[in-house]
Amino acid sequence: MSLQSKYKTKQRELLITYLETVPGVHITAGDACEYFKKQGVQIGQATVYRQLEKLVDEGIIHKYIIDGNSPACFEYVGLSLLDKISPVLISNADIP
């Protein structure tokens, strides 16, 4: 996994926080954009799409494509334990 995909941006954290509030629910990128707009949070649509794809690549969400006429759906499946632990703690664990 590249360092770039694990870079923690404010938008990424906001998106993960939103996804954690809807576990087991299939959402579209449009749903996420609408949610942030209602919350008064400015996140561009392209950013939402890009972050959703990165989260799919990292296994944090699943992506479902029903047919060519419907938007892709995404479902939060959770962060791994290593994603929740600070990278500093992991690197310090190797120090005797």
Side-chain angles (χ1 to χ4, degrees), residues 43-73:
I43 298 180
Q45 187 175 24
T47 300
V48 170
Y49 278 100
R50 187 171 43 254
Q51 290 298 324
L52 286 170
E53 290 299 332
K54 286 181 180 182
L55 294 173
V56 168
D57 291 344
E58 295 169 22
I60 296 171
I61 62 175
H62 288 162
K63 180 178 181 178
Y64 302 96
I65 300 174
I66 298 168
D67 59 43
N69 298 322
S70 302
C73 294

Side-chain angles (χ1 to χ4, degrees), residues 5-20 36 43 51 55 58 60 79 83:
S5 67
K6 290 298 233 176
Y7 186 69
K8 307 241 191 277
T9 65
K10 179 181 178 183
Q11 292 86 356
R12 173 192 167 90
E13 296 304 318
L14 287 169
L15 187 55
I16 289 173
T17 299
Y18 164 64
L19 292 166
E20 288 174 335
F36 289 120
I43 298 180
Q51 290 298 324
L55 294 173
E58 295 169 22
I60 296 171
L79 293 169
D83 289 325

Side-chain angles (χ1 to χ4, degrees), residues 73-84:
C73 294
F74 300 88
E75 179 184 14
Y76 177 74
V77 293
L79 293 169
S80 73
L81 181 59
L82 290 178
D83 289 325
K84 294 179 182 180

